[in-house]
Amino acid sequence: MLYLKKYLTEGLIQFTILLSLIGVRVDVDTYLSSQLPPLREIFLGPSSAYTQTQFHNLRNTLDGYGLHPKSVDLDYYFTARRLLGEVRSLDRLQVPSTELSAWLVHRDAEGPVVSSPQSGSSSGIALENASGGLEEVGNPEGSAMRGNGSLDQGYVQESEENLGAVAPEDSNELHNDSRSNNLTKEDIDLIDILWRQDIDLGAGREVFDYSSRQKEEEEEEEEKKKQSEEEEPTGDGWRNGLNQLGEGPLPSLVDRTALSLQECLRLLEATFPFVEETEFPGSVFPVLEDSSEEGPFTSSSQGPLLSPLLPETDSPLDREQQWQDIMAIMDLQDMEVNEAADPSFNTSSASSSSGVDMGSLTDFSLSAHTPINQDVSLHQASLPSCSQDFPGGFFNPELGSCPMEAVGAGPPTALLCLSSGNSSDVNSTFGATNLTDVLLPPRLNGSSNGTGLPDPLTGLLEEALLDEISLLDLALVEGFNPAQASRLREEFDSDSGLSLDSSQSPASPSGSETSSSSSSSSSSSSSSSSFSEEGAVGYSTDSEAVDFEEGGAVGGCYQPEFSKFCRMSYRDPSRFGHLPQLEHVAHNHTYNLAPSPTDQSPAPGGVGKKGAGREKQQLQQDFLDKQQSRDERRARAMKIPFSNEKIVHLPVEEFNELLSKHRLSESQLALVRDIRRRGKNKMAAQNCRKRKLDTILNLEQGVEALRRDKARLLREKVEFVRSLRQMKQKMQSLHQEVFSRLRDESGRPYPAGEFSLQYGSDGSVLLVPRRLRDEQQQPSRKPEKKQKEKKK
DNA sequence: CTAAACTGTCATGCC
DNA sequence: CCGGCATGACAGTTT
């Protein structure tokens, strides 16, 4: 019970704080383990390059870091896990009280009770608590606590670095209304990297201004939502517990909590002004509805608000996948910033593709350092229904193990909310129109129809958008997350070299050195892999020594081949040893190899001197019986006068010469040939398996490379679309300018409703009546009134 | 003890 | 035809 108590009092709080700081649901088993893996592994995870068949090793490294399966520490580890499970079962009642106290310090009471359905229990609520109430709580300080503090600091710094406006104390003031509002706007302006360039160009800001314009309106609507929210029979323990508290002896606390939540919601709604509907179950996706109309959400009807293409029957996984794919467009751009800001994350090893846990850890690290994701976490934390009310949603226990998915789902939420909210197309669909909205500012999008913009450009733009959409659809079909793939690729870069090296590069000189200098005291596999071991170890006769010497002489001929095979066959594990995930591959299959003569060195000397030496030799002989392979034992039994190594590795000519040199019986010859055949086949099998593994690894790398290329192409396409949009904008302004300067014979401007400009392929600009242009589908060559040459 | 991974061996096909 | 290699399949061993 000590553990339980300890975790309840300290670990749980720290856990909560950590979660809140991160803003995502994270599997904290590793955090509560005393044998914490290195931070780098927590964040990045080991390379997955070789994890395909190293599950037990992964288990050792991931869950119980460095724990041998039979280690007594494993009991401790599992005990910790079990206790953590108990803690988790209790946290829904324990956590709120803790956090409530924190809110008491900071908040003024107002507003009704609001329930937070976050099953994670902390990611939603603790955002305030972690940042603001942390000091007030007087949490028992500890190493983990300091770690959280450092993480918090890191987050703030990251925010500052990327947002340029968030002071450290702001994070503690996140609950402040005015500040949060300003912060929200700045966050939006600065975090939303997709719009950054548009902002520089003076476009897209309306989207964010809209959030402030609707603030008061949202506050009112918030009440409705909370009321409907209370009516939601989600049955979440957090919420229930909170409600119970509200009904019970702590109404004021609940009020304050409600206020906090309300403000949190308000903050987030100000940040993402169109995400209100995400509160409702099954409506994780934003309401594709013109937000300029009346309040987008109603407490009564939820179904009609759903996107036409996203019926409630959509599986959560599909939706999540779509979110991720949409997010990729933003995330890819965001990556550049993050990479520059935190290059250490590029040195990680790929893991997400194979290791779920490590993927979560890796993604967690990304989320913790990605400003966008931070805000998204904030968003999701404050609107926990995205996960809670959504069966199998972002925080689904299965999918929840990958916080990046949860986090990654956020930015598109914001984007889509923003874009769809301003889109006049009520029937816009998620896959197409929303993407269009994402790519094109709604203002431009809406104006593209009535400005008389040249058709060719519009067509080109539409084509590009269609291609974009199709590409994205392809990504959706393939379940491809460009962001993740790209991240993985970035992480993989540091790893691919090793993989390639391990599979293709020649063995390092150290390998042969180790092979030859196997004079280590232990009879490990490395020492036994020495060539000298093969000198018919069991033999204490002169012939053996002769053979040994002979082998050394002959070795000049076949040594290269042997070295190659030796490395291939026996040195491979050590070659892989420099890979962290392979250091645990400790297969000791030295049973087929005899220890090196250096291990036997005491035996020859002691044979003639002492009887004890003879006994010792006998013991070693018995040991060798166990160490030798079957063929070696057979060879020894058949008195084969040379080593199996030579039998196997000698070139066929020398092998035949060796056979002819020794008068061997038929059985001996057959055995020798069998030994050679089996030895050859053994190496062949080893090579084959190694090749197979390399093929798999290369395929994995190829897949990752293709994914990265695909993500890059997608990103480039987004850039092109943006560029097209800018051109379109410029074109429009030029069009207007030219048109406004046109005068007819009497010096009057042409009415915009009757005339329009047409652009010829040769750069000519024609002023044509609109009705004429409408009649003629293609731009005619016959100018009606005027022709002007303009230079583009 | 079991499952998974690893390894050796055999059979077979190909060069 | 022989030697060698590659590989699937199987079984034994190790973790």
Short mmCIF file of all heavy atoms in Angstrom, two decimals, chain A residues 93-141:
data_model
loop_
_atom_site.label_atom_id
_atom_site.label_comp_id
_atom_site.label_asym_id
_atom_site.label_seq_id
_atom_site.Cartn_x
_atom_site.Cartn_y
_atom_site.Cartn_z
N LEU A 93 -12.07 10.00 -9.20
CA LEU A 93 -12.58 10.68 -8.02
C LEU A 93 -11.49 11.48 -7.35
O LEU A 93 -11.75 12.49 -6.72
CB LEU A 93 -13.16 9.66 -7.04
CG LEU A 93 -14.46 9.03 -7.49
CD1 LEU A 93 -14.91 8.00 -6.48
CD2 LEU A 93 -15.53 10.08 -7.71
N GLN A 94 -10.30 11.04 -7.48
CA GLN A 94 -9.24 11.70 -6.75
C GLN A 94 -8.76 12.95 -7.45
O GLN A 94 -8.52 13.95 -6.81
CB GLN A 94 -8.07 10.71 -6.57
CG GLN A 94 -8.42 9.49 -5.77
CD GLN A 94 -8.65 9.82 -4.32
OE1 GLN A 94 -8.16 10.82 -3.83
NE2 GLN A 94 -9.41 8.99 -3.61
N VAL A 95 -8.65 12.87 -8.71
CA VAL A 95 -8.03 13.98 -9.41
C VAL A 95 -8.84 15.26 -9.30
O VAL A 95 -8.27 16.30 -9.01
CB VAL A 95 -7.80 13.59 -10.88
CG1 VAL A 95 -7.33 14.79 -11.66
CG2 VAL A 95 -6.77 12.47 -10.95
N PRO A 96 -10.13 15.19 -9.50
CA PRO A 96 -10.86 16.45 -9.47
C PRO A 96 -10.70 17.23 -8.19
O PRO A 96 -10.53 18.44 -8.20
CB PRO A 96 -12.30 16.00 -9.68
CG PRO A 96 -12.20 14.72 -10.38
CD PRO A 96 -10.98 14.06 -9.84
N SER A 97 -10.72 16.52 -7.10
CA SER A 97 -10.59 17.26 -5.85
C SER A 97 -9.28 18.00 -5.81
O SER A 97 -9.20 19.16 -5.40
CB SER A 97 -10.68 16.27 -4.69
OG SER A 97 -9.64 15.34 -4.78
N THR A 98 -8.26 17.34 -6.24
CA THR A 98 -6.97 18.01 -6.24
C THR A 98 -6.99 19.24 -7.12
O THR A 98 -6.54 20.31 -6.72
CB THR A 98 -5.91 17.03 -6.77
OG1 THR A 98 -5.91 15.90 -5.93
CG2 THR A 98 -4.55 17.69 -6.77
N GLU A 99 -7.57 19.08 -8.26
CA GLU A 99 -7.55 20.20 -9.18
C GLU A 99 -8.50 21.30 -8.73
O GLU A 99 -8.26 22.46 -8.97
CB GLU A 99 -7.93 19.72 -10.57
CG GLU A 99 -6.88 18.78 -11.10
CD GLU A 99 -7.32 18.13 -12.37
OE1 GLU A 99 -8.52 18.24 -12.70
OE2 GLU A 99 -6.48 17.52 -13.04
N LEU A 100 -9.53 20.90 -8.08
CA LEU A 100 -10.47 21.89 -7.61
C LEU A 100 -9.79 22.85 -6.65
O LEU A 100 -10.00 24.06 -6.68
CB LEU A 100 -11.65 21.22 -6.92
CG LEU A 100 -12.66 20.59 -7.88
CD1 LEU A 100 -13.68 19.80 -7.10
CD2 LEU A 100 -13.32 21.66 -8.71
N SER A 101 -8.97 22.31 -5.82
CA SER A 101 -8.29 23.19 -4.89
C SER A 101 -7.43 24.18 -5.64
O SER A 101 -7.35 25.34 -5.28
CB SER A 101 -7.43 22.35 -3.95
OG SER A 101 -6.44 21.66 -4.69
N ALA A 102 -6.85 23.74 -6.68
CA ALA A 102 -6.02 24.65 -7.45
C ALA A 102 -6.86 25.77 -8.04
O ALA A 102 -6.47 26.91 -8.04
CB ALA A 102 -5.32 23.87 -8.55
N TRP A 103 -8.01 25.42 -8.53
CA TRP A 103 -8.85 26.45 -9.14
C TRP A 103 -9.37 27.45 -8.10
O TRP A 103 -9.56 28.58 -8.40
CB TRP A 103 -10.02 25.80 -9.86
CG TRP A 103 -9.53 25.01 -11.02
CD1 TRP A 103 -8.46 25.28 -11.81
CD2 TRP A 103 -10.08 23.83 -11.52
NE1 TRP A 103 -8.32 24.35 -12.77
CE2 TRP A 103 -9.29 23.43 -12.62
CE3 TRP A 103 -11.17 23.03 -11.16
CZ2 TRP A 103 -9.58 22.28 -13.35
CZ3 TRP A 103 -11.45 21.91 -11.90
CH2 TRP A 103 -10.65 21.53 -12.97
N LEU A 104 -9.55 26.93 -6.94
CA LEU A 104 -10.02 27.83 -5.91
C LEU A 104 -9.08 29.00 -5.73
O LEU A 104 -9.49 30.12 -5.51
CB LEU A 104 -10.15 27.05 -4.59
CG LEU A 104 -11.54 26.52 -4.29
CD1 LEU A 104 -11.51 25.69 -3.04
CD2 LEU A 104 -12.50 27.68 -4.16
N VAL A 105 -7.86 28.74 -5.85
CA VAL A 105 -6.90 29.80 -5.61
C VAL A 105 -7.00 30.87 -6.67
O VAL A 105 -6.89 32.04 -6.39
CB VAL A 105 -5.49 29.19 -5.60
CG1 VAL A 105 -4.44 30.28 -5.47
CG2 VAL A 105 -5.38 28.21 -4.45
N HIS A 106 -7.29 30.45 -7.85
CA HIS A 106 -7.12 31.37 -8.95
C HIS A 106 -8.39 32.01 -9.45
O HIS A 106 -8.32 33.06 -10.05
CB HIS A 106 -6.48 30.62 -10.13
CG HIS A 106 -5.01 30.48 -9.97
ND1 HIS A 106 -4.12 31.49 -10.23
CD2 HIS A 106 -4.27 29.43 -9.53
CE1 HIS A 106 -2.90 31.10 -9.99
NE2 HIS A 106 -2.96 29.85 -9.57
N ARG A 107 -9.49 31.39 -9.21
CA ARG A 107 -10.64 31.82 -9.95
C ARG A 107 -11.69 32.46 -9.07
O ARG A 107 -11.81 32.18 -7.88
CB ARG A 107 -11.27 30.64 -10.68
CG ARG A 107 -10.34 30.01 -11.68
CD ARG A 107 -9.78 31.03 -12.66
NE ARG A 107 -10.79 31.91 -13.19
CZ ARG A 107 -10.53 33.08 -13.71
NH1 ARG A 107 -9.30 33.53 -13.74
NH2 ARG A 107 -11.50 33.82 -14.19
N ASP A 108 -12.44 33.31 -9.70
CA ASP A 108 -13.62 33.84 -9.07
C ASP A 108 -14.82 33.02 -9.49
O ASP A 108 -14.88 32.52 -10.60
CB ASP A 108 -13.83 35.29 -9.49
CG ASP A 108 -12.72 36.16 -8.95
OD1 ASP A 108 -12.18 35.78 -7.88
OD2 ASP A 108 -12.37 37.14 -9.59
N ALA A 109 -15.74 32.91 -8.57
CA ALA A 109 -16.88 32.05 -8.83
C ALA A 109 -17.90 32.78 -9.68
O ALA A 109 -18.28 33.91 -9.41
CB ALA A 109 -17.52 31.62 -7.52
N GLU A 110 -18.25 32.13 -10.72
CA GLU A 110 -19.37 32.61 -11.53
C GLU A 110 -19.73 31.52 -12.50
O GLU A 110 -18.94 30.65 -12.81
CB GLU A 110 -19.00 33.87 -12.30
CG GLU A 110 -18.05 33.58 -13.46
CD GLU A 110 -17.80 34.83 -14.26
OE1 GLU A 110 -18.24 35.91 -13.85
OE2 GLU A 110 -17.18 34.75 -15.31
N GLY A 111 -20.93 31.56 -12.95
CA GLY A 111 -21.35 30.59 -13.95
C GLY A 111 -21.83 29.31 -13.32
O GLY A 111 -21.56 29.02 -12.16
N PRO A 112 -22.57 28.60 -14.08
CA PRO A 112 -23.15 27.37 -13.59
C PRO A 112 -22.16 26.22 -13.60
O PRO A 112 -21.03 26.36 -14.03
CB PRO A 112 -24.29 27.11 -14.58
CG PRO A 112 -23.75 27.68 -15.86
CD PRO A 112 -22.92 28.85 -15.46
N VAL A 113 -22.68 25.15 -13.15
CA VAL A 113 -21.84 23.97 -13.09
C VAL A 113 -21.63 23.45 -14.50
O VAL A 113 -22.54 23.43 -15.31
CB VAL A 113 -22.52 22.89 -12.24
CG1 VAL A 113 -21.71 21.60 -12.30
CG2 VAL A 113 -22.65 23.39 -10.83
N VAL A 114 -20.45 23.11 -14.74
CA VAL A 114 -20.15 22.47 -16.02
C VAL A 114 -19.39 21.20 -15.74
O VAL A 114 -18.61 21.12 -14.82
CB VAL A 114 -19.31 23.40 -16.92
CG1 VAL A 114 -17.96 23.65 -16.33
CG2 VAL A 114 -19.20 22.81 -18.31
N SER A 115 -19.68 20.28 -16.51
CA SER A 115 -19.03 18.99 -16.31
C SER A 115 -18.07 18.74 -17.44
O SER A 115 -18.36 19.05 -18.59
CB SER A 115 -20.07 17.88 -16.27
OG SER A 115 -20.76 17.84 -17.48
N SER A 116 -16.98 18.24 -17.06
CA SER A 116 -16.00 17.89 -18.08
C SER A 116 -15.97 16.39 -18.25
O SER A 116 -15.70 15.65 -17.33
CB SER A 116 -14.62 18.37 -17.65
OG SER A 116 -13.66 17.92 -18.56
N PRO A 117 -16.24 15.96 -19.40
CA PRO A 117 -16.33 14.52 -19.62
C PRO A 117 -15.02 13.89 -19.99
O PRO A 117 -15.01 12.84 -20.57
CB PRO A 117 -17.31 14.44 -20.80
CG PRO A 117 -17.03 15.69 -21.57
CD PRO A 117 -16.59 16.72 -20.58
N GLN A 118 -13.97 14.52 -19.71
CA GLN A 118 -12.71 13.94 -20.13
C GLN A 118 -12.40 12.72 -19.30
O GLN A 118 -12.22 12.79 -18.09
CB GLN A 118 -11.60 14.98 -19.97
CG GLN A 118 -10.23 14.46 -20.24
CD GLN A 118 -10.11 13.94 -21.65
OE1 GLN A 118 -10.63 12.88 -21.99
NE2 GLN A 118 -9.43 14.66 -22.50
N SER A 119 -12.31 11.63 -19.98
CA SER A 119 -11.96 10.41 -19.27
C SER A 119 -10.53 10.46 -18.80
O SER A 119 -10.17 9.86 -17.82
CB SER A 119 -12.14 9.22 -20.20
OG SER A 119 -11.23 9.31 -21.28
N GLY A 120 -9.71 11.14 -19.56
CA GLY A 120 -8.35 11.30 -19.11
C GLY A 120 -8.28 12.05 -17.80
O GLY A 120 -7.29 12.02 -17.13
N SER A 121 -9.37 12.71 -17.49
CA SER A 121 -9.59 13.32 -16.20
C SER A 121 -8.67 14.48 -15.93
O SER A 121 -8.94 15.29 -15.08
CB SER A 121 -9.41 12.31 -15.07
OG SER A 121 -8.04 12.04 -14.89
N SER A 122 -7.62 14.58 -16.61
CA SER A 122 -6.71 15.65 -16.28
C SER A 122 -6.35 16.48 -17.48
O SER A 122 -6.07 17.66 -17.36
CB SER A 122 -5.43 15.08 -15.68
OG SER A 122 -4.88 14.16 -16.57
N SER A 123 -6.31 15.87 -18.62
CA SER A 123 -5.85 16.61 -19.78
C SER A 123 -6.75 17.78 -20.07
O SER A 123 -6.33 18.77 -20.63
CB SER A 123 -5.79 15.70 -20.98
OG SER A 123 -7.06 15.16 -21.23
N GLY A 124 -7.99 17.61 -19.73
CA GLY A 124 -8.87 18.72 -20.00
C GLY A 124 -8.86 19.75 -18.90
O GLY A 124 -8.83 20.94 -19.15
N ILE A 125 -8.87 19.31 -17.70
CA ILE A 125 -9.05 20.24 -16.60
C ILE A 125 -7.73 20.82 -16.16
O ILE A 125 -7.65 21.98 -15.81
CB ILE A 125 -9.71 19.50 -15.43
CG1 ILE A 125 -10.96 18.82 -15.92
CG2 ILE A 125 -10.01 20.45 -14.31
CD1 ILE A 125 -11.94 19.75 -16.55
N ALA A 126 -6.77 20.01 -16.20
CA ALA A 126 -5.53 20.42 -15.55
C ALA A 126 -4.76 21.44 -16.34
O ALA A 126 -3.71 21.84 -15.91
CB ALA A 126 -4.64 19.20 -15.31
N LEU A 127 -5.26 21.81 -17.47
CA LEU A 127 -4.51 22.80 -18.21
C LEU A 127 -4.32 24.05 -17.37
O LEU A 127 -3.26 24.63 -17.31
CB LEU A 127 -5.26 23.15 -19.49
CG LEU A 127 -4.89 22.24 -20.64
CD1 LEU A 127 -5.87 22.38 -21.77
CD2 LEU A 127 -3.48 22.55 -21.09
N GLU A 128 -5.39 24.42 -16.76
CA GLU A 128 -5.24 25.56 -15.87
C GLU A 128 -4.43 25.19 -14.66
O GLU A 128 -3.55 25.89 -14.23
CB GLU A 128 -6.62 26.04 -15.42
CG GLU A 128 -7.35 26.76 -16.51
CD GLU A 128 -8.62 27.34 -15.98
OE1 GLU A 128 -9.18 26.76 -15.05
OE2 GLU A 128 -9.04 28.37 -16.47
N ASN A 129 -4.80 24.07 -14.16
CA ASN A 129 -4.18 23.67 -12.92
C ASN A 129 -2.69 23.53 -13.09
O ASN A 129 -1.92 24.01 -12.27
CB ASN A 129 -4.79 22.34 -12.47
CG ASN A 129 -4.24 21.91 -11.15
OD1 ASN A 129 -3.77 22.75 -10.39
ND2 ASN A 129 -4.30 20.64 -10.86
N ALA A 130 -2.33 22.89 -14.15
CA ALA A 130 -0.91 22.63 -14.31
C ALA A 130 -0.13 23.92 -14.45
O ALA A 130 0.92 24.09 -13.86
CB ALA A 130 -0.69 21.75 -15.52
N SER A 131 -0.67 24.80 -15.18
CA SER A 131 0.10 26.00 -15.44
C SER A 131 -0.08 27.04 -14.35
O SER A 131 0.86 27.72 -13.98
CB SER A 131 -0.34 26.59 -16.78
OG SER A 131 -1.72 26.84 -16.75
N GLY A 132 -1.27 27.14 -13.89
CA GLY A 132 -1.51 28.21 -12.95
C GLY A 132 -1.55 27.74 -11.52
O GLY A 132 -0.98 28.36 -10.64
N GLY A 133 -2.23 26.67 -11.29
CA GLY A 133 -2.44 26.27 -9.91
C GLY A 133 -1.37 25.40 -9.35
O GLY A 133 -1.47 24.94 -8.23
N LEU A 134 -0.39 25.20 -10.09
CA LEU A 134 0.59 24.24 -9.67
C LEU A 134 1.29 24.71 -8.42
O LEU A 134 1.44 23.99 -7.45
CB LEU A 134 1.59 24.05 -10.81
CG LEU A 134 2.14 22.65 -10.95
CD1 LEU A 134 2.44 22.38 -12.41
CD2 LEU A 134 3.37 22.50 -10.12
N GLU A 135 1.71 25.91 -8.47
CA GLU A 135 2.44 26.40 -7.31
C GLU A 135 1.51 26.53 -6.12
O GLU A 135 1.91 26.34 -4.99
CB GLU A 135 3.04 27.77 -7.65
CG GLU A 135 3.96 27.75 -8.83
CD GLU A 135 3.18 27.93 -10.10
OE1 GLU A 135 1.95 27.94 -10.03
OE2 GLU A 135 3.81 28.04 -11.15
N GLU A 136 0.29 26.84 -6.41
CA GLU A 136 -0.63 27.08 -5.32
C GLU A 136 -0.97 25.79 -4.60
O GLU A 136 -1.23 25.78 -3.41
CB GLU A 136 -1.91 27.71 -5.86
CG GLU A 136 -1.66 28.89 -6.78
CD GLU A 136 -1.04 30.03 -6.02
OE1 GLU A 136 -1.24 30.08 -4.79
OE2 GLU A 136 -0.36 30.84 -6.63
N VAL A 137 -0.97 24.77 -5.32
CA VAL A 137 -1.35 23.51 -4.70
C VAL A 137 -0.35 23.11 -3.64
O VAL A 137 -0.69 22.46 -2.67
CB VAL A 137 -1.45 22.41 -5.78
CG1 VAL A 137 -1.69 21.06 -5.14
CG2 VAL A 137 -2.57 22.76 -6.74
N GLY A 138 0.82 23.56 -3.82
CA GLY A 138 1.83 23.13 -2.87
C GLY A 138 2.11 21.65 -2.99
O GLY A 138 2.25 20.93 -2.03
N ASN A 139 2.16 21.28 -4.18
CA ASN A 139 2.40 19.88 -4.46
C ASN A 139 3.72 19.45 -3.85
O ASN A 139 4.71 20.15 -3.92
CB ASN A 139 2.45 19.69 -5.98
CG ASN A 139 2.25 18.24 -6.32
OD1 ASN A 139 2.57 17.37 -5.53
ND2 ASN A 139 1.72 17.99 -7.50
N PRO A 140 3.70 18.30 -3.24
CA PRO A 140 4.96 17.81 -2.68
C PRO A 140 6.02 17.76 -3.76
O PRO A 140 5.83 17.14 -4.79
CB PRO A 140 4.61 16.40 -2.20
CG PRO A 140 3.16 16.36 -2.09
CD PRO A 140 2.61 17.37 -3.02
N GLU A 141 7.03 18.45 -3.51
CA GLU A 141 8.04 18.51 -4.56
C GLU A 141 8.81 17.21 -4.61
O GLU A 141 9.00 16.52 -3.63
CB GLU A 141 9.01 19.65 -4.30
CG GLU A 141 9.73 19.50 -2.96
CD GLU A 141 10.73 20.62 -2.78
OE1 GLU A 141 11.49 20.83 -3.62
OE2 GLU A 141 10.77 21.28 -1.82
#
